[in-house]
Amino acid sequence: MKNNSFLVFLFLLISAIGFSQVYTNKVVGKKNAELLDSLKVQEYPYALPIWGDKATKKGFQLPYSAGVSLNYFWQESEMTFKNLEVGFNNGPMYNLDQIVRFHSAKVSGSALNVRPDIWLFPFLNVYGILGKADMSTNINAGVWVPDADNNWTEVLPFNTKTNFDGTTFGLGLTPTIGIGGGWLALDMNVAWTDIPQLEKPAMSFIFGPRVGKTFKLAKPETNIAVWAGAFRVHIKSETKGSLPLSDIFPSDGSAQSKVDQAQAKVDEKQTNVNNWWNSLSNAEQAKPSNKAKYETANRALEAAGNLLNGIDGALSTLGDSSVQYSLEKSQTNMWNFILGSQYQFNRHFMLRAECGFLGTRTQFMTSFQYRFGL
């Protein structure tokens, strides 16, 4: 069935990425003595960063105080879900945690964003984020029910890929310090991604500590920087929304056939559970283990019946029906490892690339930046 699951619209993929690409470096070493002396006597010509004149006199080489960058970001990651509730046509909501199992749930996509920034202090860069994201969800899941022996069987599989897009906006800051020719940066930002299928924009928080070193090249003002670090994504867990049922199920009748088959399987399981329970003596029914098994099976079968009856009723008026949903989502692994490098053509232009791996998230980012004094 096309767009088998209302779930595919719920998964936030892209929030925001970006950090300051240039750093406040402490000038050290005998070969840099001439540069160090010139920094200490030269008057700092710009209003930003605050205390910029004091920093240069202490031997720190500051980047231009303002900049704008164009960033491209791609990632693929696994998600985990809980507290799933579904309703139809604004009717009762049913919790499906017991019966819906996700074999795999991957989100992937790309984003293009613009990031203006300023150095507010020599050790603090602040920036804004505005971008567009193209995303897709790839879901392999199913509805499972038990029998009298607590053996679970899949009665309705979900396997779908859906594309959608969103707009991202956010704010970030990067505390940084130059240490002995190297630097430490602690990038963090909060962003909101507005997806039409959600009731309100989804919020995310990114934290990315990095440690790196910049190497001067023979040509004046050129250098290459390399770094390693970590990348942590936290997504606000609660998601609510509503979708037209016609966005999920095709109109060729195939969905109705699969739902009818699933309902028949649920009815068969319920009959088996009832027959097993009625075959027990009063003493056997009083055993906690048998009672727990019976109650667990009935709860699962009731939840599956409610879900399938809701879908069945909504399919009869497919064009006018809707699905309401609520769930909590999170990254399967919040952290992954990153490596990056940047080439500086001169103090105005830089090109950067960064990749992330390990854990359950893979990502790549490239960026081109222009800087100027302010």
Side-chain angles (χ1 to χ4, degrees):
M1 113 183 109
K2 179 183 177 183
N3 292 339
N4 290 333
S5 175
F6 52 87
L7 297 173
V8 299
F9 297 97
L10 306 181
F11 311 142
L12 173 64
L13 171 67
I14 299 295
S15 54
I17 183 167
F19 72 98
S20 128
Q21 288 190 264
V22 288
Y23 308 93
T24 300
N25 288 319
K26 176 71 173 178
V27 178
V28 296
K30 293 182 179 180
K31 64 180 180 180
N32 294 318
E34 184 178 345
L35 174 59
L36 180 60
D37 291 339
S38 67
L39 288 172
K40 290 182 177 180
V41 299
Q42 184 178 4
E43 183 178 352
Y44 189 70
Y46 303 112
L48 290 176
I50 300 169
W51 303 332
D53 55 341
K54 295 181 180 180
T56 54
K57 286 180 170 54
K58 290 183 178 294
F60 288 93
Q61 186 176 29
L62 304 181
Y64 284 124
S65 55
V68 60
S69 61
L70 182 65
N71 305 278
Y72 171 80
F73 181 57
W74 171 89
Q75 82 161 16
E76 181 179 85
S77 60
E78 295 182 7
M79 301 291 289
T80 300
F81 310 99
K82 63 180 181 179
N83 294 333
L84 170 63
E85 294 187 352
V86 171
F88 298 91
N89 297 327
N90 297 305
M93 300 287 285
Y94 301 105
N95 188 286
L96 305 181
D97 275 357
Q98 188 180 11
I99 61 171
V100 173
R101 298 183 183 181
F102 293 92
H103 309 302
S104 66
K106 291 186 177 181
V107 291
S108 61
S110 60
L112 191 66
N113 67 54
V114 176
R115 186 186 61 79
D117 75 276
I118 61 168
W119 283 93
L120 185 61
F121 296 99
F123 53 84
L124 181 63
N125 182 271
V126 296
Y127 58 89
I129 303 164
L130 180 62
K132 295 286 291 184
D134 295 316
M135 298 163 273
S136 67
T137 62
N138 196 336
I139 305 301
N140 184 358
V143 176
W144 292 68
V145 294
D147 59 16
D149 294 321
N150 204 29
N151 295 317
W152 291 72
T153 304
E154 187 177 38
V155 296
L156 184 63
F158 293 74
N159 193 354
T160 186
K161 182 177 181 179
T162 301
N163 301 315
F164 54 100
D165 55 32
T167 301
T168 297
F169 53 97
L171 297 171
L173 56 87
T174 307
T176 182
I177 186 171
I179 306 174
W183 45 264
L184 169 67
L186 302 175
D187 179 56
M188 56 198 81
N189 67 61
V190 60
W192 295 263
T193 300
D194 187 15
I195 300 172
Q197 290 83 1
L198 300 183
E199 288 185 355
K200 56 184 178 180
M203 188 179 74
S204 64
F205 177 76
I206 287 177
F207 177 60
R210 295 165 174 85
V211 177
K213 186 172 178 59
T214 301
F215 300 92
K216 293 179 63 177
L217 301 178
K219 185 178 179 181
E221 295 191 350
T222 63
N223 63 50
I224 187 168
V226 293
W227 60 83
F231 192 83
R232 181 184 187 272
V233 179
H234 174 72
I235 299 174
K236 186 177 180 181
S237 61
E238 186 179 9
T239 300
K240 293 182 179 180
S242 179
L243 294 169
L245 197 67
S246 57
D247 287 354
I248 303 171
F249 296 106
S251 56
D252 59 5
S254 59
Q256 185 66 63
S257 175
K258 290 189 176 184
V259 170
D260 290 343
Q261 293 175 19
Q263 286 177 316
K265 292 178 182 179
V266 170
D267 290 341
E268 180 183 353
K269 297 289 185 182
Q270 185 67 69
T271 299
N272 290 339
V273 169
N274 291 338
N275 290 339
W276 165 76
W277 180 254
N278 293 330
S279 70
L280 299 177
S281 66
N282 291 337
E284 290 174 325
Q285 289 183 354
K287 289 182 178 180
S289 59
N290 287 335
K291 188 175 181 180
K293 184 189 298 186
Y294 179 63
E295 292 176 349
T296 298
N298 278 333
R299 283 196 302 269
L301 291 167
E302 181 182 7
N306 288 334
L307 173 63
L308 295 171
N309 289 336
I311 296 174
D312 185 48
L315 285 174
S316 63
T317 56
L318 182 62
D320 299 321
S321 295
S322 62
V323 180
Q324 289 70 49
Y325 54 84
S326 173
L327 59 75
E328 294 180 13
K329 60 189 181 300
S330 64
Q331 297 272 335
T332 301
N333 293 120
M334 299 181 71
W335 288 92
N336 66 322
F337 184 70
I338 55 174
L339 291 173
S341 181
Q342 174 182 283
Y343 178 75
Q344 178 174 296
F345 298 93
N346 52 50
R347 293 187 67 207
H348 288 288
F349 296 100
M350 301 95 186
L351 179 65
R352 166 191 169 201
E354 183 177 87
C355 63
F357 48 94
L358 300 181
T360 56
R361 180 170 56 249
T362 303
Q363 65 197 62
F364 171 78
M365 193 273 295
T366 185
S367 176
F368 184 74
Q369 181 175 155
Y370 172 72
R371 303 205 66 81
F372 55 94
L374 190 65

